[in-house]
Amino acid sequence: MASAQKKTLRLQNGTVVEAQNPMIVSASRSTDIPAFYSDWFFKRLDNGYSVWTNPFNGVPMYITYEDTRFIVFWSKNPRPLLRHLHKLEERGIGCYVQYSLNNYELEGYEPNLPSWDQRIDTFKRLVDRLGRGRVIWRNDPLLLTDRVSMDTLLERLEKTGDALQGYTEKLVFSFVDISCYAKVASNIKKAGIRFVNWDRASMCAFAAKLADLNRKWRYSLATCAEAIDLDAYGIQHNHCVDEELIARIAYKDHKLMEHLGLEIRKRSLSLMGEEPVPQGSIDLGCGLYAVRTKDNKDKGQRLHCGCMKSKDIGQYNTCRHFCVYCYANTSQQKVLDNFEAHQLNPDAATITGERSC
């Protein structure tokens, strides 16, 4: 799941350990680091390392940030990032934000989020700070229930899409699949929520209506890790950790481009103007393009995930949004216990506050 090289790391207590040394960090698919652990993360950047525990075997792994050049943040409430972004600039680290801005306020499916209005304001503040194209709107996942119909989803998407015009160029979405997660299905049943499963027909019907709605926005539309092909509706398969977007943001970072295997070249001129970018290359939009010399796809992710390689540093059982469809928490009590431990030891190398690392 990681593209990191190994490196020897000397800890604060003098112990020497082997650590992963990622150039691209994902923070994080497993929890909302920007919302709940921004202070912790930026302290760990200052300290030079953190500890990640493998969820499958429980083995702790050291992560050094010595050569980190880019971070992809994932969040439903990234406002705490705003006070830290200058630290990335000082270190020469690029970033963008995958911002899940759903609207299930009336149903309480995402109980611990700020209001929709506040989250729209945060989106705009981030764009003003980072620049357009570096905050991606996600509506993730799309839920069908006895209280939320397809038309309800589209009405709310329209409200959000209208509010974000001029601030985003893209919408990424996914269809919730409760059947893949037994614990999630159990939790939803206990909560008395009746979910309606998406099937191919309903997905295509939704895609057609969304494509029609998009005529006024002209956003790029993409699905996240979905098997279904919706090209007929102008909807692509997304690459959430995206080498093309990273290249457009950080093409001047020669070390990062070398790591990605991207050769930066100038577009040639003719009497007809600039020559087209060669097929398969990345148009950087400034008279330059990038030629790929290697495959960066992360083969350790889900089958239909289009992400490139990165190192995710989050931990399960640490997100306090408590969304009803969450797959990353086994119980609310476990999350609360972990957060209490984090508060008791906020400078620990792990999110969960273990002092032994």
Side-chain angles (χ1 to χ4, degrees):
M1 291 188 292
S3 61
Q5 300 295 317
K6 295 294 181 68
K7 193 163 190 173
T8 298
L9 170 68
R10 185 177 296 276
L11 306 182
Q12 292 167 287
N13 63 8
T15 303
V16 175
V17 297
E18 185 178 66
Q20 284 199 10
N21 185 31
M23 195 161 286
I24 299 173
V25 166
S26 169
S28 158
R29 297 179 182 92
S30 303
T31 191
D32 197 327
I33 286 177
F36 300 119
Y37 304 101
S38 282
D39 292 343
W40 170 85
F41 176 68
F42 283 93
K43 284 180 183 177
R44 295 321 306 173
L45 276 184
D46 288 340
N47 287 324
Y49 72 94
S50 65
V51 174
W52 172 80
T53 302
N54 188 311
F56 300 105
N57 59 22
V59 175
M61 178 183 298
Y62 289 90
I63 312 294
T64 175
Y65 301 109
E66 183 175 336
D67 291 330
T68 296
R69 309 295 299 170
F70 207 95
I71 301 170
V72 178
F73 292 105
W74 311 66
S75 185
K76 292 179 180 175
N77 178 27
R79 182 167 290 220
L81 276 182
L82 285 165
R83 63 177 179 265
H84 293 293
L85 290 173
H86 69 281
K87 300 174 186 176
L88 297 181
E89 294 165 350
E90 291 165 1
R91 293 176 179 273
I93 298 175
C95 76
Y96 63 82
V97 182
Q98 293 278 354
Y99 191 163
S100 290
L101 209 170
N102 308 328
N103 187 352
Y104 300 116
E105 282 189 310
L106 290 177
E107 297 77 24
Y109 295 160
E110 298 171 330
N112 291 334
L113 290 177
S115 70
W116 178 86
D117 288 329
Q118 288 175 301
R119 287 179 286 139
I120 290 289
D121 180 66
T122 294
F123 196 107
K124 293 179 176 180
R125 287 176 184 241
L126 278 170
V127 173
D128 288 342
R129 181 66 179 78
L130 290 173
R132 189 173 172 182
R134 292 177 62 181
V135 186
I136 294 95
W137 172 31
R138 302 175 68 91
N139 202 281
D140 180 33
L142 294 166
L143 311 177
L144 284 179
T145 75
D146 54 337
R147 298 178 62 189
V148 180
S149 67
M150 188 183 300
D151 287 341
T152 301
L153 288 173
L154 289 161
E155 288 170 7
R156 294 178 185 179
L157 279 165
E158 183 172 16
K159 179 182 177 182
T160 301
D162 288 349
L164 294 181
Q165 281 196 287
Y167 286 89
T168 191
E169 302 166 341
K170 189 172 190 178
L171 165 59
V172 179
F173 63 93
S174 69
F175 302 102
V176 73
D177 187 356
I178 301 302
S179 63
C180 289
Y181 304 98
K183 183 66 175 179
V184 176
S186 175
N187 290 339
I188 286 170
K189 185 176 181 180
K190 289 178 183 177
I193 300 169
R194 293 201 297 273
F195 269 77
V196 178
N197 290 322
W198 291 92
D199 56 21
R200 184 175 184 82
S202 57
M203 290 179 188
C204 289
F206 176 86
K209 292 181 179 181
L210 179 60
D212 186 59
L213 184 59
N214 192 43
R215 290 179 182 177
K216 67 172 175 176
W217 300 329
R218 299 191 181 279
Y219 294 155
S220 296
L221 303 178
T223 57
C224 175
E226 294 289 350
I228 190 170
D229 191 342
L230 300 173
D231 279 352
Y233 309 99
I235 300 170
Q236 306 300 314
H237 294 282
N238 200 49
H239 310 274
C240 300
V241 181
D242 185 356
E243 69 177 352
E244 291 195 17
L245 181 54
I246 292 172
R248 293 190 186 106
I249 293 170
Y251 67 90
K252 294 181 181 179
D253 187 329
H254 301 298
K255 188 175 181 180
L256 179 57
M257 294 303 101
E258 182 181 3
H259 170 76
L260 294 175
L262 297 177
E263 295 180 1
I264 309 300
R265 300 178 184 176
K266 289 185 179 180
R267 294 177 69 172
S268 57
L269 297 174
S270 70
L271 293 176
M272 303 298 292
E274 287 185 333
E275 295 290 340
V277 170
Q279 187 174 5
S281 299
I282 302 169
D283 187 352
L284 300 177
C286 51
L288 301 173
Y289 64 95
V291 176
R292 295 178 171 92
T293 64
K294 70 175 185 178
D295 180 9
N296 289 312
K297 180 175 171 56
D298 190 345
K299 298 176 177 62
Q301 297 297 331
R302 291 174 292 171
L303 177 62
H304 301 291
C305 176
C307 286
M308 65 160 293
K309 298 173 186 174
S310 63
K311 179 69 192 91
D312 198 291
I313 62 165
Q315 297 288 168
Y316 292 136
N317 290 310
T318 57
C319 182
R320 293 187 297 128
H321 291 316
F322 294 140
C323 302
V324 296
Y325 52 81
C326 180
Y327 66 89
N329 294 337
T330 56
S331 75
Q332 289 194 13
Q333 189 57 54
K334 180 66 172 175
V335 174
L336 294 174
D337 290 344
N338 282 336
F339 191 71
E340 182 180 7
H342 167 78
Q343 289 181 304
L344 291 172
N345 192 20
D347 296 327
T350 65
I351 286 178
T352 49
E354 286 93 341
R355 295 178 179 273
S356 59
C357 301

